[in-house]
Amino acid sequence: MLLLAAIGLALMWLYTKWHRTKKYWADRNVPFIPPHPLLGNLTFLLKQNPGIFVRHIYNRDQPYVGLWWFWRPVLLVNTPELARRILVKDCAVFKDRFLNSGKKDTLGGFNLFLVNDPFWSTVRKRLSPSFTGAKLKVFHKHFVAKARELVERIKIEMESNKRVNLRMMFTDYTTDVVGLSAFGVRGDATLTGKSPLRDITKGFMTFTYLRGLAWACIFFIPELVDVFGFSFFPNEASNYFRKIYKQVVDERGGYNVRIGENKDFLDALRKMKQDYDQNNEEMPEDILIAQAAAILQGGFDTTGSALTFCTYELAHSPQYQDKIYDELLQIKDRILNGDVDAEVLHEIKYLNAALKECFRKYLPMGWIDRVASTDYRIDENLTIKAGTPVYVNAGGMQYDPIYYPDPEKFDPDRFLPENEKKHTPFTYLPFGEGPRFCIGKRFGVQNAICALAHIIINYKIVAKPDSHLPRDIVIEKKSLFYMPGETLYVDFVPRDL
Ligand code: HEM
């Protein structure tokens, strides 16, 4: 009897709680998408990519929409004005992301992407100098060397099997480039498809149900990450990161030698450790390794996928490719000799515009998430409570025909300098905005531009006769990021040089 009474009471409690939960947004006169009793609005998981989910529920006439992650109310905002306030003007309230990897997982929980303020501000300040224009000049040499290997790789693959798996090839390339910059490790994946670090990044790209569950917890119920012992990086990846990081730091003389000018990202981390030691403050090595791992994770697939989508689009838009080629012809010899610098590439208008348009159509994160640290007045009708997750619907705005007419069309003209300045601010957010915007933006863009310039000057990119149009590209349903969900191929026809 007692047991039955306890079950009855628990069910009543659950029912009352559910009843209150599902009225949460209606009680505040906020339009909402009706929630599932268990999952809330997370029923799209594994069935639809989040970038497509938010785009489908975008409604310009509703500045915000109430949703639930399980039973937790979250707010999706749809206007550039709210995006500006949350990401920039009132960023002091919205410094943290909602996703989190718990306290036990040092490499995950303390990396720049996931860590909360005030530690986030300290780390970000330390790492930002590694991404200035002057530092990128050092990285640019790696981009050029590896881009030349890409050209070679395409030749080998086209001659041997006439098929190049675009995403594999480009993530081989970005693993080499980002791995060298973040961990100081030289890899051979661009030419061979193989390297120890590449095994790790291939692991990141492989979906297993356990990893899927871990990611779902990190993104939507972070409280459970520690309970289940999940981690942001798989264990084998964490072990490998620790091993190679220590190895490279040792090769550079450890932490006790004088670090003059920071050569790269790894030196910035060593310097950070030295400064903490000098102030008798603790800086566990795992927290440093966490930053290197975040750079690798944040940098390799975003840029690799952008290169994949852009190459596929250009194959299907020869008119734009011809314009890029005509521009590149002016610096052909410099590209072929490997001495083209970033400033020159930045001047190639059509190439830059095509990449920007690619980031409009294929933004890796369909939403930009933040969490309110205090109660926050959204407008005269709504004040959200401290702790409410808020998502800026970047995907929705980048596909809104009012801001970007005929949004399915790949149209680099939108981003020619004379047109770009007419865009409504805060409707284009592929790299986020405000103090927490993508730290690797310039690195990623410069890397991608360099790779595309080398490819297009050497090859005409041609759509395979049986290939479907870019608008029909299957997007990965199981990933939380916007990535191709199918293998994409094009033909590369050597140009007369
Ligand atoms: C090129 C394509 C890339 C895209 C589209 C992209 C996109 C993004 C976005 C949307 C964010 C969140 C911004 C926000 O919340 O406001 C972000 C953050 C971040 N990105 Fe990127 N990213 C790219 C490349 C890179 C590269 C190459 C690196 C490293 C070299 C990198 C490292 C990071 C890190 C560490 C963060 C977290 C920053 C913080 O919280 O302070 N990303 N990125």
Side-chain angles (χ1 to χ4, degrees):
M1 281 295 280
L2 263 177
L3 184 66
L4 278 179
I7 293 174
L9 277 174
L11 286 175
M12 258 169 63
W13 178 82
L14 270 178
Y15 178 77
T16 317
K17 176 127 175 84
W18 161 242
H19 197 64
R20 224 179 304 134
T21 301
K22 73 175 182 189
K23 283 172 62 227
Y24 186 90
W25 289 120
D27 286 348
R28 287 160 180 78
N29 288 323
V30 172
F32 60 90
I33 312 280
H36 178 274
L38 185 63
L39 298 174
N41 298 103
L42 289 176
T43 43
F44 69 87
L45 283 180
L46 299 184
K47 290 190 223 142
Q48 196 178 35
N49 184 280
I52 297 183
F53 167 72
V54 288
R55 203 195 299 162
H56 282 174
I57 61 175
Y58 172 80
N59 179 347
R60 189 185 326 114
D61 298 329
Q62 291 174 341
Y64 43 80
V65 178
L67 301 175
W68 289 261
W69 292 165
F70 299 98
W71 286 12
R72 183 199 303 272
V74 306
L75 193 73
L76 181 73
V77 306
N78 287 328
T79 67
E81 175 49 20
L82 280 174
R84 184 186 69 85
R85 278 173 46 202
I86 287 158
L87 301 177
V88 179
K89 180 171 166 280
D90 296 326
C91 61
V93 178
F94 296 98
K95 277 195 174 165
D96 296 334
R97 296 202 170 88
F98 174 60
L99 78 165
N100 209 296
S101 193
K103 293 273 171 287
K104 290 187 196 156
D105 169 26
T106 337
L107 291 202
F110 288 89
N111 79 47
L112 187 66
F113 196 80
L114 273 78
V115 78
N116 287 343
D117 212 45
F119 190 59
W120 168 76
S121 303
T122 311
V123 179
R124 176 97 190 196
K125 219 178 288 158
R126 291 287 183 154
L127 300 186
S128 294
S130 307
F131 293 95
T132 57
K135 289 285 150 42
L136 284 177
K137 281 202 172 123
V138 178
F139 294 138
H140 189 73
K141 288 187 205 130
H142 308 327
F143 302 161
V144 171
K146 288 291 162 185
R148 299 181 87 186
E149 287 184 13
L150 257 185
V151 171
E152 188 57 27
R153 159 89 172 260
I154 292 172
K155 179 168 176 270
I156 297 167
E157 294 217 1
M158 288 304 291
E159 280 172 4
S160 63
N161 56 15
K162 311 249 178 280
R163 274 156 81 91
V164 180
N165 176 336
L166 292 180
R167 188 167 170 221
M168 271 304 155
M169 176 179 76
F170 285 129
T171 46
D172 286 342
Y173 164 74
T174 53
T175 300
D176 273 359
V177 172
V178 185
L180 188 54
S181 316
F183 284 100
V185 179
R186 274 179 203 284
D188 233 353
T190 311
L191 272 180
T192 64
K194 291 186 197 128
S195 79
L197 200 59
R198 184 59 179 133
D199 289 341
I200 300 292
T201 57
K202 273 189 189 148
F204 291 164
M205 293 164 71
T206 314
F207 182 85
T208 65
Y209 281 96
L210 195 63
R211 284 307 297 156
L213 204 60
W215 278 97
C217 274
I218 289 168
F219 271 76
F220 305 115
I221 15 173
E223 300 85 346
L224 291 188
V225 175
D226 278 345
V227 177
F228 289 120
F230 288 138
S231 60
F232 190 68
F233 299 108
N235 281 343
E236 59 279 20
S238 300
N239 295 338
Y240 181 74
F241 290 151
R242 288 191 177 99
K243 195 176 105 195
I244 53 165
Y245 178 87
K246 283 177 205 284
Q247 206 171 305
V248 178
V249 167
D250 282 350
E251 276 164 20
R252 293 189 185 187
Y255 297 109
N256 296 326
V257 290
R258 192 179 158 276
I259 302 165
E261 203 223 337
N262 290 351
K263 214 169 56 230
D264 58 14
F265 183 74
L266 211 71
D267 280 353
L269 293 176
R270 286 165 69 221
K271 184 87 177 63
M272 186 162 148
K273 170 86 171 138
Q274 273 190 348
D275 292 348
Y276 267 73
D277 288 351
Q278 270 165 19
N279 294 334
N280 289 323
E281 287 177 75
E282 208 195 337
M283 172 48 69
E285 202 170 45
D286 251 15
I287 292 188
L288 304 172
I289 300 170
Q291 312 318 321
I295 294 297
L296 179 68
Q297 163 84 28
F300 92 96
D301 210 5
T302 43
T303 317
S305 291
L307 282 166
T308 303
F309 286 126
C310 202
T311 306
Y312 198 79
E313 284 280 7
L314 289 174
H316 287 265
S317 298
Q319 73 279 23
Y320 294 127
Q321 200 189 146
D322 289 348
K323 287 185 183 182
I324 296 173
Y325 180 65
D326 287 346
E327 279 187 312
L328 287 175
L329 277 179
Q330 294 160 28
I331 51 166
K332 177 177 165 186
D333 291 341
R334 292 189 64 183
I335 300 177
L336 293 176
N337 293 334
D339 73 350
V340 68
D341 54 41
E343 285 77 22
V344 173
L345 286 177
H346 190 68
E347 296 301 313
I348 307 297
K349 271 192 315 192
Y350 247 96
L351 181 56
N352 284 274
L355 189 64
K356 284 182 183 169
E357 171 67 342
C358 175
F359 283 127
R360 181 195 65 80
K361 279 194 75 181
Y362 307 99
L363 65 175
M365 287 168 74
W367 62 49
I368 308 294
D369 75 312
R370 297 288 187 270
V371 60
S373 59
T374 59
D375 289 358
Y376 181 79
R377 189 171 183 272
I378 295 277
D379 61 19
E380 62 280 9
N381 301 316
L382 177 67
T383 296
I384 53 170
K385 288 192 183 149
T388 307
V390 180
Y391 294 81
V392 175
N393 194 342
M397 289 190 286
Q398 290 187 198
Y399 270 77
D400 184 336
I402 290 284
Y403 305 127
Y404 301 98
D406 197 359
E408 289 288 348
K409 186 174 174 215
F410 178 75
D411 180 6
D413 283 11
R414 304 180 207 269
F415 288 95
L416 290 177
E418 60 275 25
N419 298 331
E420 199 178 5
K421 54 180 183 242
K422 295 182 209 146
H423 294 169
T424 307
F426 291 92
T427 58
Y428 180 72
L429 298 167
F431 297 93
E433 257 300 348
R436 215 149 180 178
F437 87 107
C438 174
I439 198 170
K441 175 180 172 183
R442 291 175 70 181
F443 182 106
V445 168
Q446 201 169 306
N447 184 13
I449 291 283
C450 187
L452 288 168
H454 279 80
I455 292 173
I456 295 170
I457 204 74
N458 281 282
Y459 299 101
K460 191 173 175 62
I461 308 168
V462 181
K464 283 206 169 279
D466 54 348
S467 64
H468 53 61
L469 291 175
R471 68 172 62 213
D472 297 321
I473 293 176
V474 176
I475 301 300
E476 181 58 67
K477 294 184 180 118
K478 292 180 254 159
S479 167
L480 292 168
F481 299 101
Y482 202 82
M483 305 295 171
E486 61 177 323
T487 309
L488 296 172
Y489 300 102
V490 295
D491 280 329
F492 292 93
V493 181
R495 296 189 191 265
D496 294 331
L497 293 175

